[in-house]
Amino acid sequence: MLKGKKIILGITGSIAAYKAAYLTRALIKKGAEVQIVITPAGKEFITPVTLSALTGKPVVSEFFSANDGTWHSHVDLGLWADLLLIAPATASTIGKMANGIADNMLITTYLSAKAPVFIAPAMDLDMFAHPSTQHNLELLRSYGNHIIEPATGELASHLEGKGRMEEPDRIVERIEAFFASRQSLRGRKIVITAGPTYEKIDPVRFIGNYSSGKMGFSLARVCAERGADVVLIAGPVTLPTPHASIKRIDVESADEMYRAAMEAYPTADAAICCAAVADYAPAEYRSTKMKRNADDLTLVLRPNKDIAAELGKIKRAGQCLAGFALETDHEAENAVAKMQRKNFDFIVLNSLRDAGAGFRGDTNKVSIWYRDGRSADYPVKSKLEVASDIVDALTACLGGE
Ligand code: C5P
């Protein structure tokens, strides 16, 4: 269940920190990739050496590395994670998280994180029962965080009561159950085209475009995380495959992409055409390098197959098809006409006017237009978050939630 999941485990200054080593091991055994972020007080209870030996990664604690002064980016860390788990969480850390007191690496990471957050409190019974702790936990719940209630039993103080951190195995079960509940595309096969295409002129030259593939790769990641069998048909990009379960087919030209898509789509539940496919290819490929001379050069270009439109023609009842539009004028009108022409169920319109939208960058700003005339506008978001909105639309198209 946790295969390929990136989990930040935040450890704070509680005696229950000794259980964090077991918890780390249990998460890794289930296939998770774990990054430890520990507070200065946490290090008094468990040594970073134990933890880094288990994760195979340096433990992050300070804003700057003591060795070489490198700055540890809490923003990058926060964005990297699929889930942030704070176990054990002391009353102090809970109070700081509830009130945004960002005086250590863990709290800044928490404030930067976009991923779901799980908090496993650990403290003495009276501290746990104190109205301020309860109020802070209530605040954290209201922010959408998940609290893993502590268990009742003998505490480190030898008192009996509620406050001991939930057992690591139970915590792992909770996290597995959480990810399982988000498997809304389990059993679905989704084809995604991504990146540019290169149309060869001669052995060293091609016609291409600036598409980075980031949007399509983000879509592939989100679909895979939600349990889909993803076939990612990728044009020439330098991106790593974003999820272990993805079947990636690397292609170069529009024609190769067309053939791969036409083969994959008939057995799929849906396809998202995200690739920036070249509209034309040189009519003739020269097998030797073209020589420079003083004359003007005319290249004859022939139109490529419109992959999306061809998939639209073979779309069966119950299958979904979505595509993108990048328009410079009459944006909405052109996008809606394109959706109808290509038989899409919905179309994602990339805004060209807004900062933070379009090719190459890490953010995008889109609106989604549907066949029934509905549309939804979204603010500038990371490509991963945009992908999540698009996959929500796809899931609804497939009859899910
Ligand atoms: O017609 P236009 O290129 O603007 O359409 C964009 C949409 O069509 C995108 O979803 C793109 O992936 C898809 N497309 C395609 N094959 C082409 C051209 C565009 O799949 N040859």
Side-chain angles (χ1 to χ4, degrees), residues 282-332:
E284 183 198 351
Y285 170 71
R286 333 248 170 147
S287 56
T288 53
K289 189 180 167 196
M290 284 166 66
K291 298 279 182 297
R292 176 195 175 92
N293 65 37
D295 303 332
D296 288 353
L297 173 70
T298 303
L299 268 182
V300 178
L301 302 178
R302 295 235 168 89
N304 281 327
K305 284 244 169 50
D306 184 330
I307 301 168
E310 295 300 320
L311 296 184
K313 284 184 201 159
I314 62 166
K315 188 171 83 170
R316 291 181 276 109
Q319 269 185 321
C320 291
L321 184 62
F324 281 72
L326 190 84
E327 304 295 332
T328 51
D329 59 303
H330 302 97
E331 293 181 316

Side-chain angles (χ1 to χ4, degrees), residues 193 273-275 277-279 305-308 323-324 338 342 344:
T193 66
C273 297
C274 190
V277 184
D279 288 325
K305 284 244 169 50
D306 184 330
I307 301 168
F324 281 72
K338 192 166 289 177
K342 303 198 187 202
F344 290 158

Side-chain angles (χ1 to χ4, degrees), residues 1-245:
M1 244 7 277
L2 298 182
K3 195 161 189 293
K5 293 278 183 282
K6 300 188 181 84
I7 297 180
I8 292 181
L9 175 58
I11 302 173
T12 72
S14 154
I15 179 62
Y18 82 90
K19 293 186 182 172
Y22 184 88
L23 179 56
T24 304
R25 189 81 196 99
L27 291 168
I28 290 172
K29 264 194 184 159
K30 296 278 184 181
E33 194 182 334
V34 179
Q35 171 64 58
I36 306 281
V37 181
I38 193 166
T39 63
K43 286 193 282 191
E44 303 290 333
F45 289 90
I46 184 164
T47 160
V49 177
T50 305
L51 298 163
S52 64
L54 290 171
T55 61
K57 291 174 195 285
V59 167
V60 174
S61 180
E62 312 297 335
F63 291 108
F64 295 94
S65 156
N67 300 333
D68 56 8
T70 316
W71 181 58
H72 293 135
S73 169
H74 52 88
V75 178
D76 288 352
L77 257 181
L79 295 179
W80 171 83
D82 296 315
L83 186 133
L84 179 57
L85 167 63
I86 300 177
T90 59
S92 165
T93 289
I94 287 167
K96 287 183 195 174
M97 288 169 74
N99 296 285
I101 301 169
D103 67 350
N104 66 43
M105 188 67 188
L106 179 58
I107 312 288
T108 51
T109 303
Y110 160 70
L111 291 175
S112 310
K114 300 263 193 207
V117 178
F118 280 74
I119 300 160
M123 64 199 79
D124 216 43
L125 73 164
D126 294 319
M127 292 176 79
F128 184 70
H130 196 282
S132 76
T133 308
Q134 288 304 314
H135 176 67
N136 286 333
L137 286 170
E138 219 30 69
L139 278 176
L140 289 174
R141 274 194 198 94
S142 75
Y143 304 154
N145 298 316
H146 305 260
I147 310 297
I148 302 175
E149 287 290 323
T152 302
E154 192 187 348
L155 301 162
S157 59
H158 302 298
L159 294 170
E160 288 269 336
K162 186 169 179 178
R164 52 187 284 170
M165 185 177 87
E166 183 54 287
E167 289 306 320
D169 286 334
R170 299 287 88 71
I171 294 177
V172 173
E173 280 169 17
R174 272 289 293 276
I175 287 167
E176 282 186 303
F178 172 76
F179 280 121
S181 72
R182 300 207 316 174
Q183 298 282 294
S184 54
L185 290 176
R186 179 157 290 281
R188 300 292 198 173
K189 177 177 166 185
I190 312 228
V191 177
I192 296 170
T193 66
T197 63
Y198 286 179
E199 311 302 327
K200 279 188 178 146
I201 298 169
D202 69 16
V204 296
R205 301 184 182 91
F206 59 84
I207 297 173
N209 61 68
Y210 289 125
S211 169
S212 64
K214 284 179 188 166
M215 193 62 242
F217 274 56
S218 297
L219 283 165
R221 173 176 162 183
V222 173
C223 288
E225 281 173 355
R226 296 193 192 180
D229 296 323
V230 177
V231 178
L232 175 60
I233 305 173
V237 294
T238 51
L239 299 171
T241 307
H243 192 282
S245 75

Side-chain angles (χ1 to χ4, degrees), residues 327-365:
E327 304 295 332
T328 51
D329 59 303
H330 302 97
E331 293 181 316
E333 224 176 294
N334 286 339
V336 167
K338 192 166 289 177
M339 164 169 66
Q340 275 151 4
R341 199 166 61 242
K342 303 198 187 202
N343 199 15
F344 290 158
D345 294 280
F346 63 89
I347 192 157
V348 183
L349 175 60
N350 280 294
S351 167
L352 262 185
R353 299 215 181 102
D354 302 271
F359 277 167
R360 290 202 281 196
D362 289 322
T363 57
N364 205 0
K365 183 174 187 316

